[in-house]
Amino acid sequence: MNDYTTILREHNLKATPQRLEMTNALFMNGHVTIERLYELMLKKFSSISLATIYKNINLMLEASFIEEVKLPNAKSVYELTKETHSHLLCSKCDKVQDIVLNLTDVTRRASNAANFNISKTDLVLSGLCENCS
Amino acid sequence: MNDYTTILREHNLKATPQRLEMTNALFMNGHVTIERLYELMLKKFSSISLATIYKNINLMLEASFIEEVKLPNAKSVYELTKETHSHLLCSKCDKVQDIVLNLTDVTRRASNAANFNISKTDLVLSGLCENCS
DNA sequence: AACTTAAAGGATAATTATTATCTTTTAATA
DNA sequence: TATTAAAAGATAATAATTATCCTTTAAGTT
Ligand SMILES: [Mn+2]
Ligand SMILES: [Mn+2]
Ligand SMILES: [Zn+2]
Ligand SMILES: [Zn+2]
């Protein structure tokens, strides 16, 4: 019984082999699209249904066990929930990278300027990665 | 001949009544989803095809005449291109607001930390707007 | 270890979102 | 006014996502 068995059960999700492999695929591959995840899953479960992927993605999203990252000009990617972070997207090689940034100053300024109570920030910085520039 | 006639032509797009009304709808309504834009257009062009909306949205995106804003847990909205800005999204009433924020400090920090050449930032701050909090 | 059962998986139909195709209409230019 | 490439509208095709239904199974219970 690995880590994710417990976490899945804590969210009232049965720890099925398919789900454990999904979490493993996400852990190993980082940010993945639905179709990439389906490909990865097919390697281990040759007859898994795409519907199973979608159903589990949605259940795991509801449980905040995973998160969706919406990217400009690209399909959404999914990842295991971790520390709050921002994303770097390379517009040449499409690589997505995590970056932990302190955004308190920005959110404070926004909050003050617009009388807004900010609870979440989604930031994607696009450009060229180390390799591509 | 209003402003947008010229701008459309500068992008090699014919200034059709449908396109002028699309730009007008975007100008008047700010951030709109595809389906909302379709509803708005139907008021003026009762037999406009949804395909026309999609085709024009895509052409206008290519021409950078409009921009898509991807929002967490919501459908994308579209708006006329204006000064670079960030967005505030109210998680209660779903209102989307523009906010001009200086992000040079954040992008500089990210750029240095990850050796990344940043050319664009997409920031959505979610929370409660003035009315809802 | 076998029994029970709600939950989950797989197959596939249905729905929704978006794009492609084709014919008719029209904006722009001469 | 005539010409023509582009755009509109109708609708078919495709892609993405969800729903349904039947079978299998994880996780408790005896
Ligand atoms: Mn991430
Ligand atoms: Mn905006
Ligand atoms: Zn790159
Ligand atoms: Zn609000």
Side-chain angles (χ1 to χ4, degrees), chain B residues 31 79 85 87 98:
Chain B
H31 309 90
E79 64 178 335
H85 61 280
H87 290 98
D98 290 337

Side-chain angles (χ1 to χ4, degrees), chain B residues 61-123:
Chain B
L61 282 172
E62 280 171 43
S64 295
F65 182 59
I66 64 171
E67 285 179 348
E68 177 178 6
V69 183
K70 291 197 176 183
L71 302 169
N73 308 117
K75 288 179 186 165
S76 288
V77 292
Y78 300 85
E79 64 178 335
L80 296 176
T81 299
K82 41 195 164 184
E83 181 189 7
T84 299
H85 61 280
S86 302
H87 290 98
L88 295 165
L89 169 65
C90 180
S91 32
K92 193 168 179 193
C93 70
D94 296 325
K95 191 176 67 172
V96 178
Q97 242 181 280
D98 290 337
I99 184 166
V100 175
L101 290 169
N102 187 332
L103 300 177
T104 49
D105 190 58
V106 174
T107 55
R108 185 167 35 73
R109 276 187 279 138
S111 187
N112 289 337
N115 247 69
F116 219 88
N117 205 311
I118 296 163
S119 50
K120 189 164 82 78
T121 69
D122 289 277
L123 174 61

Side-chain angles (χ1 to χ4, degrees), chain B residues 32-40 50 75:
Chain B
V32 295
T33 61
I34 292 278
E35 70 182 331
R36 178 77 184 120
L37 183 59
Y38 184 44
E39 287 170 8
L40 290 167
L50 184 54
K75 288 179 186 165

Side-chain angles (χ1 to χ4, degrees), chain A residues 91-102:
Chain A
S91 33
K92 193 167 179 194
C93 71
D94 295 327
K95 191 176 68 173
V96 178
Q97 240 181 283
D98 290 337
I99 186 168
V100 176
L101 290 169
N102 187 331

